[in-house]
Amino acid sequence: MTSPNPLPRATPRRRPIAFATLAALLFVLPVAAGCSKNSSSEAPAAGPDPVIARVNGVDIKQSDLALAEEDVGADMQAASPEAKREHLISYLADIIMVTQAADKKKLADNPDFKRRLAFLRNKLLMGYELQDEAKAALTDDALHQTYNDAVKSMGGQEEVHARHILVESEDEAKALLDQLKGGAAEGGDLGFFTKDQMVPEFADVAFKMYPGQLSNPVKTQFGWHIIKVEDKRTKQPPEFEKVKDQIEAFLARKAQTDFITKLRQSAKVERLDKPADQRPIEQKPAEPKPPEQK
């Protein structure tokens, strides 16, 4: 007998922290700014950053293509490498031509343009600074210390391997229990889980059972369950290499949070738009949580 509705697992209390989305990854400034002006008609020289094309005397280099791909790459996922390359060159060429036209009109002197350029410059520079703080935090000692601390916190956590069948009523559950005792097929396999991964009513019963035992009907918010425990074990910590990416993400985020907190503590921020007694209380950035150990 198969399970009509496998028990949804409760959301784990600890989740891995992904790297903060840094402004440095958002290359929103016109990528033509990275192109170099070269009025020479000679052939582009080969090198680590070769010139790919030249538009009205402005070189388009391989590095410019990389920036352009970060800007519009998501729109070209289905394109072939050659088609993508041609599109990027055309995109950069258009930017150069339009920028040159804008320069003739002196649009760069527009106050609104200057404000936006200053904002984007600061946002991009902030991203580079946060990346630098994160990079400095990712030492081998810090990675292994975080891993060891997380392993210790697990403290020999118990896991249960169980199956279950979920039905709507207690009468159905009792009838299923009789069938299972008579040798009927078993229900959905939940694999191994810790106590905090299941709803309390289910977990309290499952973790008191012994391997091979069938439970009486158990009521939860999802319905009525018949549980069979297959095995029990002490949860083993994952190998360092399997969680290294999670640890790096956690340490990077923590370094960035600590850095911003330190700056806030020493900075003088004045709110001039409200009276002193109505100014908001300073908010600290959320503390990152340790990576989940699976």
Side-chain angles (χ1 to χ4, degrees):
M1 181 178 298
T2 59
S3 171
N5 295 293
L7 176 69
R9 296 194 181 189
T11 302
R13 295 176 183 172
R14 294 174 295 174
R15 289 184 176 273
I17 301 298
F19 260 116
T21 303
L22 300 178
L25 302 180
L26 303 177
F27 287 89
V28 289
L29 289 175
V31 289
C35 303
S36 60
K37 188 171 182 179
N38 187 340
S39 59
S40 172
S41 60
E42 64 185 35
D49 191 15
V51 175
I52 306 301
R54 186 171 291 139
V55 180
N56 293 336
V58 178
D59 290 345
I60 296 176
K61 296 184 177 181
Q62 184 65 42
S63 58
D64 298 321
L65 293 187
L67 288 177
E69 185 170 2
E70 291 183 13
D71 189 28
V72 298
D75 299 330
M76 303 183 295
Q77 292 180 353
S80 67
E82 185 59 31
K84 183 183 295 186
R85 181 181 178 85
E86 292 303 315
H87 177 79
L88 293 174
I89 293 173
S90 177
Y91 175 60
L92 286 167
D94 287 346
I95 289 179
I96 293 170
M97 289 183 286
V98 173
T99 299
Q100 289 176 337
D103 283 338
K104 290 179 180 178
K105 296 180 181 179
K106 300 187 181 301
L107 293 183
D109 295 333
N110 183 293
D112 184 60
F113 172 80
K114 290 182 177 181
R115 281 193 298 270
R116 291 175 182 273
L117 183 61
F119 173 78
L120 294 175
R121 182 247 182 211
N122 290 342
K123 186 178 179 181
L124 188 64
L125 192 58
M126 176 187 73
Y128 272 100
E129 174 59 31
L130 292 178
Q131 278 187 325
D132 192 61
E133 293 295 326
K135 183 178 179 180
L138 301 184
T139 65
D140 287 340
D141 287 345
L143 290 171
H144 284 88
Q145 183 62 52
T146 302
Y147 171 78
N148 292 335
D149 291 344
V151 168
K152 290 178 182 178
S153 69
M154 292 173 62
Q157 196 173 17
E158 187 179 26
E159 288 185 310
V160 165
H161 176 196
R163 297 175 181 271
H164 84 134
I165 296 177
L166 174 64
V167 292
E168 294 183 358
S169 70
E170 184 178 13
D171 289 340
E172 289 179 276
K174 289 179 178 179
L176 282 171
L177 181 58
D178 290 337
Q179 294 178 38
L180 290 169
K181 288 179 178 178
E186 298 171 350
D189 191 347
L190 298 171
F192 278 98
F193 53 87
T194 55
K195 196 169 185 178
D196 62 351
Q197 289 179 289
M198 295 296 174
V199 292
E201 301 88 347
F202 188 98
D204 288 344
V205 173
F207 278 80
K208 292 177 181 176
M209 296 168 61
Y210 55 81
Q213 184 179 6
L214 282 169
S215 74
N216 291 321
V218 178
K219 189 177 188 305
T220 72
Q221 67 195 73
F222 304 105
W224 289 85
H225 309 260
I226 301 296
I227 306 169
K228 181 181 179 182
V229 170
E230 297 287 351
D231 196 8
K232 286 187 171 183
R233 70 183 185 187
T234 299
K235 185 175 182 180
Q236 298 299 311
E239 297 177 4
F240 173 79
E241 291 299 329
K242 290 184 178 180
V243 292
K244 183 178 179 181
D245 289 347
Q246 294 181 33
I247 297 173
E248 287 178 342
F250 165 70
L251 287 177
R253 177 57 179 164
K254 184 177 185 303
Q256 293 164 353
T257 299
D258 292 346
F259 177 70
I260 293 175
T261 299
K262 183 178 179 180
L263 291 179
R264 287 181 175 180
Q265 291 172 345
S266 61
K268 182 179 180 181
V269 179
E270 299 178 84
R271 285 293 303 270
L272 307 180
D273 58 335
K274 295 181 179 181
D277 58 349
Q278 296 182 13
R279 292 172 188 171
I281 299 174
E282 181 182 355
Q283 298 294 320
K284 294 183 179 180
E287 289 291 334
K289 297 181 179 180
E292 180 186 9
Q293 300 293 327
K294 295 183 179 180

